[in-house]
Amino acid sequence: MWLIDSEAVATRITAGSDACLIVETSDPLRGYDMAESGRVEVTPISGETPFADHLGETVLAVSEESVPDSGRIALEITFGSGRVRCETWSGDLRLSSK
């Protein structure tokens, strides 16, 4: 997943193969084919994600959780109207709002 700010800087948040949470500056990918697994399409946000309620808002704070063996495991982003938590769970990226 990519978050793009008002200055067009894209930040990628994803789950790493070692169950850590990866947060890096990275341009969004274009769609790509995964053969028998299907095609991955990169599309703009829809109402189906916790970030949809915060479009256009300023980030007020960011906090992270980490563990000694695997590094960063969660990131919580605070907006004026609420928070979004990004975390890894069994190798997958999970998003939730608070």
Side-chain angles (χ1 to χ4, degrees):
M1 169 190 75
W2 285 269
L3 302 175
I4 302 173
D5 69 15
S6 61
E7 296 179 11
V9 175
T11 300
R12 179 177 178 230
I13 301 174
T14 189
S17 60
D18 59 353
C20 70
L21 187 69
I22 298 170
V23 181
E24 62 186 2
T25 301
S26 165
D27 291 332
L29 297 176
R30 298 185 188 272
Y32 54 94
D33 189 6
M34 294 182 58
E36 65 275 351
S37 296
R39 180 160 176 80
V40 173
E41 293 294 335
V42 178
T43 61
I45 197 170
S46 67
E48 301 171 2
T49 172
F51 283 106
D53 294 337
H54 308 290
L55 283 177
E57 288 187 49
T58 300
V59 172
L60 301 177
V62 176
S63 62
E64 67 179 23
E65 292 176 28
S66 60
V67 293
D69 295 335
S70 57
R72 183 186 303 119
I73 59 168
L75 188 72
E76 193 164 281
I77 303 169
T78 303
F79 301 91
S81 63
R83 296 177 295 191
V84 176
R85 183 175 173 84
C86 309
E87 61 188 325
T88 59
W89 186 264
S90 299
D92 292 326
L93 175 64
R94 291 199 175 181
L95 305 174
S96 58
S97 57
K98 294 183 171 193

